[in-house]
Amino acid sequence: MPSVISHAIAATAIGKVVQPQSVPWWYWALGATVSAVPDLDVIGFHFGIHYGDLMGHRGFTHSIFFAALLAGLVTIAFAGHDQISSRRLFSYLFLATASHGVLDAMTNGGLGVAFFSPFSNTRYFFPFHPIQVSPIGAGRFFSAKGLAVLQSEALWLWLPSAAIFAVMALVRGGGNRIQNSNTAIHD
Ligand SMILES: [Zn+2]
C-alpha cells in the first residue's frame, strides 16, 4: 500500500474534481477516511487470514464492489445535506475508496488487488507500478525504506494530486469569475 497520507491526498484531489461550488468541511474528512478503510483488512493477519484469501490483504476491501458498498452506506448516513447531492457524494466516496485499490495496484510489492472480489479473487497489478510498496505497520515506516517510500509517493502521488487540485481550483475560480461577471452584465 502507499501510506495512509498518500491515499488521503489522492482522495482530496478526486474530491476537488467532483465537488460542487462549496462543500461542508466533513466532505474532505469523509473522502480521506474512506480512502484508508480498505487497509483495515490487515487486522485479518492477526486472526490467521492469509494475504491471498478472499478477506486477506488487498482482497475484498480493495474491490470495486466494496467501494460501492462503503460509498452507499456512508452516503445514506450523510444524505439530505443542502450543499451536496447524494449522487455527487456517492460518486466522490466511491472514487475515493476505489482509488485505494488502484494505487495499490501501482505499487511494486505484495500481492495484486482483487478488484472483482467477491466474484473473483484473482489479484491484479497494473503494468506500470512506480510506487514503492509501503511497509505494513507504522514502526517499520520510520526507516530508510520508509523514506524511499515517501520519496516515490511524493513523486508519483503528491505532485500529480497537487497539480490536479491546483488546476481544478483555477478552473473553478475562473468559472466563478465568469459567472460573477455575467451576473454583473445581466444586472
Ligand atoms: Zn491497501
Side-chain angles (χ1 to χ4, degrees):
M1 58 169 182
S3 64
V4 176
I5 302 163
S6 294
H7 281 301
I9 287 172
T12 303
I14 292 167
K16 192 67 186 171
V17 175
V18 178
Q19 79 164 126
Q21 290 301 328
S22 67
V23 282
W25 66 269
W26 47 259
Y27 174 86
W28 306 106
L30 281 184
T33 305
V34 298
S35 77
V37 166
D39 275 346
L40 292 180
D41 63 6
V42 296
I43 294 165
F45 284 132
H46 299 289
F47 297 99
I49 296 170
H50 298 291
Y51 199 138
D53 292 348
L54 177 72
M55 296 306 290
H57 187 42
R58 293 184 174 174
F60 177 64
T61 60
H62 287 59
S63 68
I64 296 165
F65 182 83
F66 178 82
L69 190 70
L70 181 66
L73 289 173
V74 178
T75 301
I76 289 166
F78 284 81
H81 202 278
D82 290 345
Q83 283 174 283
I84 182 161
S85 70
S86 294
R87 203 172 69 178
R88 198 184 282 262
L89 184 60
F90 175 84
S91 304
Y92 166 46
L93 296 174
F94 171 73
L95 292 173
T97 313
S99 74
H100 183 114
V102 169
L103 296 178
D104 277 7
M106 290 168 67
T107 61
N108 64 355
L111 292 180
V113 175
F115 283 117
F116 303 108
S117 179
F119 311 105
S120 160
N121 197 31
T122 307
R123 302 302 191 99
Y124 297 90
F125 275 117
F126 290 121
F128 177 67
H129 26 82
I131 304 169
Q132 286 268 345
V133 73
S134 176
I136 296 168
R140 272 172 286 173
F141 198 79
F142 296 101
S143 61
K145 173 102 172 67
L147 193 65
V149 169
L150 280 183
Q151 279 175 343
S152 88
E153 291 182 0
L155 180 63
W156 295 104
L157 281 174
W158 302 358
L159 276 179
S161 296
I164 291 168
F165 195 95
V167 167
M168 289 312 296
L170 277 174
V171 169
R172 289 265 153 69
N176 283 346
R177 271 196 297 281
I178 290 164
Q179 265 182 5
N180 289 343
S181 63
N182 280 348
T183 316
I185 292 163
H186 291 301
D187 283 350

